Amino acid sequence: MKYLTDRTDLTVLKIGGSIITERSSQTPKALPGEINRIAGEIAGMAVEAANKGNLIVVHGAGSFGHPLAREYRLTEQFDMEGVIETHRSVRKLNNMVVDALNRAGVPAVPVHPFSSFLLDNGRISEMFGAHISVMLERGMVPVLHGDVVMDATRGAAVLSGDQVVPYIAQKLGAESIGIASVTDGVLDDKGHTVPVITPASFDEVKIHIGGSSHTDVTGGMLGKVTELVDLADRSGISSRIFNASIPGNVRAFLDGATVGTLIQKDK
Ligand SMILES: Nc1ncnc2c1ncn2[C@@H]1O[C@H](COP(=O)(O)OP(=O)(O)OP(=O)(O)O)[C@@H](O)[C@H]1O
Ligand SMILES: [Mg+2]
């Protein structure tokens, strides 16, 4: 089955684990109010347009993933119990997100990276994505997430939602990419939003970009920007990092508004 690489209107939206969970908690703690609010904002767009099959949602793992991955040292070693427990935990969060979207009227369906990706040394080497293409063709909204995934070299490794987004965007030919987190985009040393980052300017702004302030196994803000600058450089696909804790921002992004930091190829 060939991928739908000719679609021109596909949006890939990542909702950070910092928005939908209590990111600082060492045990899994969801924020149902935020999950429902974001589902409502997506529904505003999806009810009119999802039947065209133009949206993929990816969510982060937050406190359902990072503390368990750290406890079982999944970035350093293979631990079968750790793989099972971490996947079980992030699947619960995925269930909550898909349920909230369904209740809001969005035809969302779960896609677990554990069952559809293979890694090699922590990077995606293969994706079974034909089912995602059929879901989109039928007007469904696939919902992927940060997960633990089998790795040909390491046995298993952590797959960040921040790596899933550019991979899937390139594979399926997305036009618009949004990564929603808890800051007003990428911030400089004065706390101001950096409006645009390009591969050429990345070296300069990099010094102000750090990891997460919480238990983290996927690189925090620097991890996101590195993935997205690489995507812009490789394929010319632009993306935005913006703040989803401000009500209305997810909807604004989906409507094409200028929010947060734009990451794009040098002109
Ligand atoms: N220059 C910067 N601008 C913005 N945020 C930054 C910067 N440097 C470091 N950060 C940190 O990166 C964090 C975002 O990454 P984090 O992994 O915590 O959230 P997330 O990716 O939304 O959650 P998850 O990994 O669960 O999906 C911010 O909350 C902030 O603490
Ligand atoms: Mg993160």
Side-chain angles (χ1 to χ4, degrees):
M1 161 106 203
K2 83 176 185 52
Y3 292 107
L4 301 175
T5 47
D6 57 343
R7 68 171 53 247
T8 54
D9 55 354
L10 179 67
T11 295
V12 181
L13 171 68
K14 186 209 169 197
I15 305 296
S18 56
I19 289 288
I20 55 173
T21 76
E22 188 67 69
R23 187 71 175 74
S24 60
S25 172
Q26 288 306 305
T27 51
K29 191 156 183 266
L31 296 174
E34 288 294 89
I35 296 175
N36 286 331
R37 177 179 65 79
I38 303 243
E41 291 189 30
I42 293 172
M45 173 257 198
V47 163
E48 301 145 26
N51 288 339
K52 294 188 204 141
N54 63 1
L55 179 65
I56 294 176
V57 173
V58 178
H59 64 79
S63 54
F64 285 68
H66 294 276
L68 280 165
R70 174 61 56 80
E71 182 187 331
Y72 287 104
R73 295 168 47 219
L74 295 184
T75 54
E76 297 151 43
Q77 58 172 21
F78 177 74
D79 183 314
M80 189 152 51
E81 185 185 314
V83 170
I84 291 168
E85 288 308 315
T86 307
H87 176 63
R88 257 162 57 89
S89 180
V90 293
R91 222 173 46 206
K92 281 182 200 152
L93 180 62
N94 180 254
N95 227 347
M96 290 181 217
V97 173
V98 171
D99 279 355
L101 285 164
N102 290 158
R103 281 195 306 270
V106 180
V109 284
V111 175
H112 304 299
F114 182 81
S115 338
S116 39
F117 286 77
L118 177 68
L119 306 183
D120 194 10
N121 258 320
R123 302 300 300 175
I124 298 168
S125 63
E126 279 178 57
M127 174 184 79
F128 173 71
H131 59 329
I132 295 175
S133 293
V134 179
M135 289 167 193
L136 293 172
E137 273 174 0
R138 296 289 170 172
M140 290 169 152
V141 176
V143 184
L144 294 87
H145 52 92
D147 205 347
V148 58
V149 171
M150 301 317 288
D151 185 299
T153 304
R154 298 189 202 162
V158 171
L159 175 60
S160 172
D162 299 336
Q163 189 188 154
V164 171
V165 168
Y167 184 90
I168 214 163
Q170 190 171 11
K171 195 100 179 173
L172 299 184
E175 181 172 73
S176 167
I177 299 178
I179 298 224
S181 192
V182 281
T183 58
D184 291 336
V186 181
L187 307 178
D188 65 16
D189 52 340
K190 297 191 179 71
H192 299 141
T193 304
V194 179
V196 182
I197 299 175
T198 67
S201 74
F202 184 39
D203 271 351
E204 213 177 288
V205 291
K206 208 181 202 168
I207 46 167
H208 307 304
I209 312 175
S212 173
S213 44
H214 307 295
T215 304
D216 184 73
V217 293
T218 52
M221 186 53 75
L222 187 57
K224 288 180 213 312
V225 181
T226 305
E227 296 283 356
L228 297 175
V229 165
D230 185 49
L231 175 73
D233 203 19
R234 261 186 296 122
S235 63
I237 301 178
S238 322
S239 52
R240 289 191 174 276
I241 298 179
F242 66 95
N243 192 347
S245 66
I246 298 172
N249 253 8
V250 168
R251 181 69 203 267
F253 164 76
L254 292 172
D255 286 342
T258 302
V259 284
T261 298
L262 173 66
I263 297 174
Q264 67 179 8
K265 198 179 170 78
D266 295 283
K267 294 263 177 324

